[in-house]
Amino acid sequence: MGNKAWSGRFTESTDTFFEEFTESVSFDSILAPYEIKASIAYAKALKKAQILSEDELEALIKALEEIEDQINEGSFHFKREYEDVHMNIEKALFEKTGEVAYKLHTGRSRNEQVVTDLRLYLMDEGDKLKDLLLCFITAIIEKAENNLDVIMPGFTHLQHAQPVLFAHWLSTYAEAARFHLERIQDWEKRLRLCPLGSSAFAGTGFPLDRESLAKELGFSAPLSHSVYAVSSRDFSIEFLFILTLIMLDLSRLSEEIILWISPEFAFIDLPDRLCSGSSIMPQKKNPDSAELIRGKTSVVLGNLFQLLVLLKNLPLSYNRDLQEDKPPLFQAVNTVKASIKMATLLVEGITLNRDRLEAVLKEGHLLATEVADYLVTKGIPFREAHHITGRIVRYAEERKKKLEDLTLEEFKSFSSLIGEDVYTWLTLDHALQRREIIGGTGKMSVKTYLRNFREFLEKWKS
Ligand code: ARG
């Protein structure tokens, strides 16, 4: 037998540059543990179908476990000439067991092996991702709980809008991450389906027990369509979409951290250990880690698009193009894991500049909506109340006054319905108290929200 599994049909050996161009072992060798696990399960299924004897099965399992040990020790050498992780392991198996190694390929195709390995890999990575998200969420909830008394200006259009509890603002990212957790859980239902038994695409010609083969590998069931099993990369694309959504949130959080630490905002500070300096400007302390999360978001977004474009116009079933699904997938997985870890450290490291926040709360007429709402309680329709308040704000601006500094006479010149009680409405506490509503920024509501979130976390962990 020649060097290649297919050499029977060929009359000359493979061009070396062709080999270099087509290999994937330089990036798919990380699938080796899954390839071994899947091969052991497949061998057991072959034994059950009486294609392998008990002795042959034992020899294969022993050799596969030895190969696994070698890989773990770093003494296994993946060779480019053997193309991919599947052939490298098959070759090593042959060196250890001889002919029986080739029996393992009975009715089996790399087309199904590669998707099986990928699905097993993503089952592990999904678990790791959930753990990382839980740490990130916990950091946010803790930071929120420890700063429950801090009010900050809430923004729309990056302009001062209404006062909001810092805990409420920050926990937005925990809320988003909770849905990412649930998305992962939902995606897992479709991920945990086993391709083995699909063979090249038509289904294997040997009587394998696909049900128990799936269970053996921790899948919930076999995939029910052999062409779909080898052709589809939906499971990767779906995961990459979730990864992209996660990165979008981390990027927005990073953007806010970058703004907040700038002297123009100066809402927060970060520990030195999470920042870097400038090689020329000695005074600088830069939020590079947040900037890099924002930057790496473009990488993951690109990875998603790579996969989408890869699949577009691809005829069924397996095409070698599909080999290109791995680098973007692996890159996205690694980038997102690192970014969540970094974002968690950033959240943990945030300290609030309370004096500064107190000072900026006085700027930007954050309580203007309160005046409009106040007028509504006096019977004025909201649109009209809004208009009157707009005129009051303009009047105050022109005189460089805050709304609460206007006299009652001045207020009355805009509407005779305004009374002394308007000043109660012009306090931050009153504005927050009015928002004791499910999901609102009232202190009790936010406390309840955080408490419920803790319960959600406990339930999730158990
Ligand atoms: N290295 C290939 C990939 O990643 C494995 C499948 C190869 N199958 C084939 N028929 N050439 O997609």
Side-chain angles (χ1 to χ4, degrees):
M1 227 184 283
N3 212 2
K4 299 277 190 271
W6 57 80
S7 56
R9 192 232 176 275
F10 287 64
T11 55
E12 58 178 0
S13 57
T14 321
D15 181 273
T16 48
F17 184 68
F18 173 92
E19 223 162 62
E20 197 180 309
F21 187 77
T22 53
E23 67 87 25
S24 59
V25 71
S26 56
F27 52 84
D28 68 16
S29 61
I30 70 159
L31 296 175
Y34 307 104
E35 175 71 11
I36 287 171
K37 204 176 153 195
S39 294
I40 291 175
Y42 195 81
K44 287 181 184 169
L46 287 176
K47 158 76 190 29
K48 214 172 160 191
Q50 289 169 356
I51 295 157
L52 289 179
S53 70
E54 184 67 47
D55 289 350
E56 287 173 325
L57 173 65
E58 261 172 39
L60 284 175
I61 293 178
K62 184 171 166 277
L64 283 164
E65 284 171 353
E66 279 170 22
I67 294 170
E68 185 166 36
D69 290 342
Q70 277 176 276
I71 293 170
N72 291 338
E73 286 161 13
S75 60
F76 189 90
H77 297 295
F78 289 99
K79 293 196 188 116
R80 201 175 67 190
E81 58 182 301
Y82 298 150
E83 201 179 302
D84 57 22
V85 64
H86 321 288
M87 295 314 296
N88 266 273
I89 289 174
E90 189 178 307
K91 286 283 175 195
L93 200 56
F94 178 73
E95 277 158 29
K96 285 184 189 294
T97 65
E99 287 288 284
V100 62
Y102 293 154
K103 287 196 181 179
L104 180 59
H105 214 59
T106 311
R108 186 169 77 148
S109 160
R110 279 185 293 161
N111 300 353
E112 60 180 340
Q113 283 170 258
V114 71
V115 270
T116 303
D117 295 356
L118 277 175
R119 282 172 184 265
L120 291 170
Y121 159 80
L122 285 176
M123 274 152 66
D124 276 355
E125 292 303 324
D127 285 342
K128 288 182 204 160
L129 196 71
K130 284 184 285 183
D131 287 345
L132 284 163
L133 280 173
L134 281 173
C135 291
F136 173 66
I137 291 173
T138 306
I140 291 175
I141 298 298
E142 236 150 61
K143 190 62 49 172
E145 285 169 343
N146 294 338
N147 293 280
L148 255 172
D149 54 325
V150 181
I151 307 172
M152 66 175 269
F155 295 85
T156 61
H157 311 271
L158 203 56
Q159 304 286 324
H160 278 208
Q162 290 176 330
V164 67
L165 284 184
F166 168 77
H168 191 215
W169 194 266
L170 186 70
S171 58
T172 312
Y173 294 105
E175 179 76 357
R178 178 168 75 94
F179 289 118
H180 299 322
L181 280 177
E182 291 179 359
R183 258 180 217 106
I184 295 170
Q185 213 175 27
D186 189 67
W187 158 81
E188 282 172 341
K189 285 188 258 167
R190 291 172 291 284
L191 178 74
R192 290 178 179 278
L193 298 171
C194 184
L196 286 181
S198 302
S199 199
F201 67 87
T204 180
F206 296 89
L208 299 186
D209 179 351
R210 288 197 64 201
E211 297 279 350
S212 60
L213 183 48
K215 293 271 147 62
E216 171 86 26
L217 284 169
F219 288 104
S220 49
L223 272 159
S224 47
H225 195 294
S226 61
V227 182
Y228 176 83
V230 299
S231 310
S232 173
R233 292 297 180 275
D234 290 1
F235 62 96
S236 294
I237 295 176
E238 216 182 320
F239 190 59
L240 262 172
F241 178 68
I242 299 172
L243 292 180
T244 305
L245 282 185
I246 293 171
M247 286 307 282
L248 289 187
D249 286 330
L250 296 188
S251 186
R252 294 177 78 172
L253 170 64
S254 300
E255 171 72 8
E256 297 210 277
I257 288 175
I258 293 161
L259 286 173
W260 292 347
I261 200 179
S262 73
E264 282 69 22
F265 278 79
F267 287 4
I268 63 162
D269 200 4
L270 288 172
D272 286 358
R273 63 177 182 276
L274 300 179
C275 295
S276 47
S278 155
S279 51
I280 174 163
M281 297 163 282
Q283 86 284 12
K284 302 275 313 230
K285 178 172 162 183
N286 298 326
D288 297 44
S289 45
E291 291 167 70
L292 279 167
I293 294 173
R294 194 176 55 183
K296 285 174 192 291
T297 302
S298 70
V299 173
V300 178
L301 233 150
N303 294 149
L304 169 64
F305 270 80
Q306 270 176 279
L307 238 72
L308 289 170
V309 178
L310 181 67
L311 271 290
K312 182 186 175 297
N313 293 7
L314 206 62
L316 301 174
S317 60
Y318 179 84
N319 297 272
R320 193 61 179 275
D321 314 42
L322 288 172
Q323 181 167 293
E324 294 295 325
D325 65 346
K326 282 164 228 57
L329 180 68
F330 298 157
Q331 186 179 35
V333 166
N334 293 331
T335 306
V336 175
K337 283 195 297 186
S339 300
I340 301 176
K341 197 170 164 187
M342 192 67 243
T344 306
L345 289 172
L346 283 169
V347 170
E348 284 168 353
I350 289 176
T351 48
L352 293 174
N353 190 346
R354 289 164 179 253
D355 295 342
R356 168 72 180 164
L357 282 166
E358 218 167 280
V360 293
L361 282 166
K362 301 203 171 76
E363 309 297 329
H365 305 297
L366 284 164
L367 297 171
T369 313
E370 299 311 292
V371 177
D373 286 357
Y374 168 81
L375 290 171
V376 167
T377 66
K378 301 289 170 184
I380 301 176
F382 183 77
R383 284 283 169 250
E384 203 182 321
H386 184 287
H387 189 76
I388 295 169
T389 310
R391 285 173 48 227
I392 299 174
V393 169
R394 177 148 49 91
Y395 174 91
E397 290 251 286
E398 281 163 7
R399 283 157 188 78
K400 303 224 176 323
K401 281 186 165 190
K402 319 241 177 274
L403 291 178
E404 59 271 30
D405 296 337
L406 298 178
T407 64
L408 191 55
E409 282 62 44
E410 286 176 302
F411 271 121
K412 279 195 180 298
S413 71
F414 293 94
S415 167
S416 58
L417 293 172
I418 300 181
E420 192 64 44
D421 52 346
V422 73
Y423 294 106
T424 315
W425 284 66
L426 283 169
T427 61
L428 294 166
D429 281 342
H430 190 268
L432 292 183
Q433 268 162 32
R434 292 190 55 236
R435 286 162 179 82
E436 294 295 4
I437 188 161
I438 296 173
T441 202
K443 278 186 188 155
M444 294 317 297
S445 304
V446 173
K447 257 192 197 158
T448 307
Y449 172 82
L450 294 175
R451 198 180 332 109
N452 290 343
F453 213 113
R454 281 282 183 196
E455 275 169 30
F456 165 83
L457 286 178
E458 288 316 310
K459 250 190 239 150
W460 187 277
K461 283 175 196 159
S462 63

